[in-house]
Amino acid sequence: AEVESLLPPTRLYYDVVSDLREAGLRPRAMAQITGGGLPEHLERLLVDRNLGCALEVPRWDNAAVQKLFQFADEESCWHTFNMGFGWVVIVEQDQVELAVGAGPGGVALGVVDEIPGVRVTSKC
């Protein structure tokens, strides 16, 4: 059971993008989160616009991954495992609930603001 939770193939997020389109959402930005991790990718999206964001990363509900996180340093959890996030989308505040419902596993992570940098708190 725990091993099976690590075996799904790479997710491509086509279903989520399709659901966003069908819902009439027009994302401000989207990014696949790969090497470098979530804060660095968001920083690149926002820095040219003089924006930042405050993130609250929830605990990833995956027993095998949580067990692995116990033996990994925090930097590896962010840079290797991306704290469990593979893709992010930035939408207007009034579209958050609709975006979270587009495809399985959606969660609101934070708010874009005018304070430079990506500030992160984690429940992991």
Side-chain angles (χ1 to χ4, degrees):
E2 283 187 12
V3 173
E4 290 176 11
S5 66
L6 296 174
L7 296 177
T10 299
R11 181 135 186 236
L12 300 178
Y13 304 101
Y14 175 79
D15 58 330
V16 178
V17 174
S18 292
D19 288 349
L20 290 171
R21 284 186 179 160
E22 287 176 19
L25 288 172
R26 294 185 51 90
R28 300 295 303 235
M30 295 185 278
Q32 182 176 1
I33 306 303
T34 58
L38 182 61
E40 288 85 354
H41 284 290
L42 288 175
E43 181 92 22
R44 278 185 260 160
L45 285 171
L46 300 171
V47 72
D48 291 339
R49 296 174 179 93
N50 294 322
L51 298 172
C53 67
L55 300 176
E56 185 174 304
V57 177
R59 187 174 191 278
W60 192 3
D61 190 22
N62 181 310
V65 171
Q66 288 303 321
K67 188 172 186 176
L68 179 66
F69 280 178
Q70 292 175 3
F71 298 97
D73 61 278
E74 187 172 347
E75 185 174 337
S76 294
C77 291
W78 281 102
H79 293 282
T80 303
F81 303 109
N82 303 318
M83 290 305 224
F85 294 95
W87 187 73
V88 295
V89 59
I90 297 174
V91 298
E92 295 292 334
Q93 185 66 37
D94 64 347
Q95 297 180 332
V96 170
E97 285 186 40
L98 200 53
V100 167
V107 61
L109 293 176
V111 177
V112 173
D113 56 32
E114 294 180 357
I115 302 169
V118 176
R119 298 154 330 269
V120 180
T121 58
S122 175
K123 293 183 177 183
C124 298

